[in-house]
Amino acid sequence: EIKRNLPEGIKWDTADKYEQKLLSVHEGLFSDYSHVWCRTLKSGPEHGEGAEDVLTAILRDVLLAKCEANREEGKQLLGAFLKDNKYQFPIFRRFVLLCVDKFWTDYHGYLDRLLEVVPTVLAESDLEVEMFDVLQNHNADFSSSLIEKLKVLIDNVPQYYINKGKEKLVAYWKYKWL
């Protein structure tokens, strides 16, 4: 979409680090940095004074109430958060994980769907806290196929840790998720 809207007449693809810069623009447009101002959706936002904090708490509470009161409507919302382009910000994936954790029995299938939508979920700092909660609280209930998917993700260590050249960092990353 960004490529299609660039001004014509300029050879953009010959620019230095074109693809990398284009990805940075996309990331800047579709990142909400919610992990910075809200460490955990379960008990946060921690500051509670800014508009982002207040609106996040309101949306969280409304979403949890909806998921508890009407499972089918909750499923529609979570499905939309995972597929609709209008919900691209990480906070919506965090909300999915929060609902999966809180209402595991009814919404556990959305963890599989999230893994399809965000195959690098374990490497996404935005999703780390909520993903950790789901893994910690429900690992005994995981299907064998989900366990296998998670093992593959855990073995797929982010390049950042590998580039550091220290086996301890790679081992720590795997340990954290195991």
Side-chain angles (χ1 to χ4, degrees), residues 1-6 20-34 52 85-93 126:
E1 184 67 24
I2 293 170
K3 284 181 180 181
R4 284 192 307 117
N5 288 306
L6 290 173
Q20 181 182 3
K21 290 178 181 177
L22 196 59
L23 288 172
S24 294
V25 168
H26 182 270
E27 186 176 306
L29 291 172
F30 296 105
S31 182
D32 59 16
Y33 300 104
S34 60
E52 293 164 330
N85 286 335
K86 64 182 175 181
Y87 299 111
Q88 291 186 18
F89 291 112
I91 190 104
F92 295 105
R93 272 57 176 202
D126 294 317

Side-chain angles (χ1 to χ4, degrees), residues 105-130:
T105 304
D106 294 305
Y107 297 109
H108 63 84
Y110 288 91
L111 181 57
D112 274 321
R113 289 180 63 187
L114 180 84
L115 295 179
E116 292 170 14
V117 172
V118 187
T120 58
V121 66
L122 300 183
E124 303 290 330
S125 61
D126 294 317
L127 307 175
E128 184 173 334
V129 173
E130 283 75 24

Side-chain angles (χ1 to χ4, degrees), residues 45-143:
E46 290 75 21
H47 307 292
E49 298 164 1
E52 293 164 330
D53 298 322
V54 172
L55 291 173
T56 300
I58 291 169
L59 182 57
R60 176 202 60 213
D61 294 347
V62 168
L63 178 64
L64 289 173
K66 174 62 78 178
C67 286
E68 186 171 22
N70 189 326
R71 302 292 197 225
E72 287 309 311
E73 286 183 18
K75 288 178 181 180
Q76 289 175 0
L77 282 170
L78 298 184
F81 287 173
L82 291 176
K83 71 175 182 172
D84 286 352
N85 286 335
K86 64 182 175 181
Y87 299 111
Q88 291 186 18
F89 291 112
I91 190 104
F92 295 105
R93 272 57 176 202
R94 292 179 71 187
F95 282 131
V96 170
L97 287 168
L98 177 68
C99 291
V100 166
D101 184 29
K102 186 148 177 74
F103 307 109
W104 175 258
T105 304
D106 294 305
Y107 297 109
H108 63 84
Y110 288 91
L111 181 57
D112 274 321
R113 289 180 63 187
L114 180 84
L115 295 179
E116 292 170 14
V117 172
V118 187
T120 58
V121 66
L122 300 183
E124 303 290 330
S125 61
D126 294 317
L127 307 175
E128 184 173 334
V129 173
E130 283 75 24
M131 185 65 183
F132 188 80
D133 287 344
V134 170
L135 295 177
Q136 185 176 32
N137 296 331
H138 303 288
N139 63 70
D141 301 323
F142 290 170
S143 67

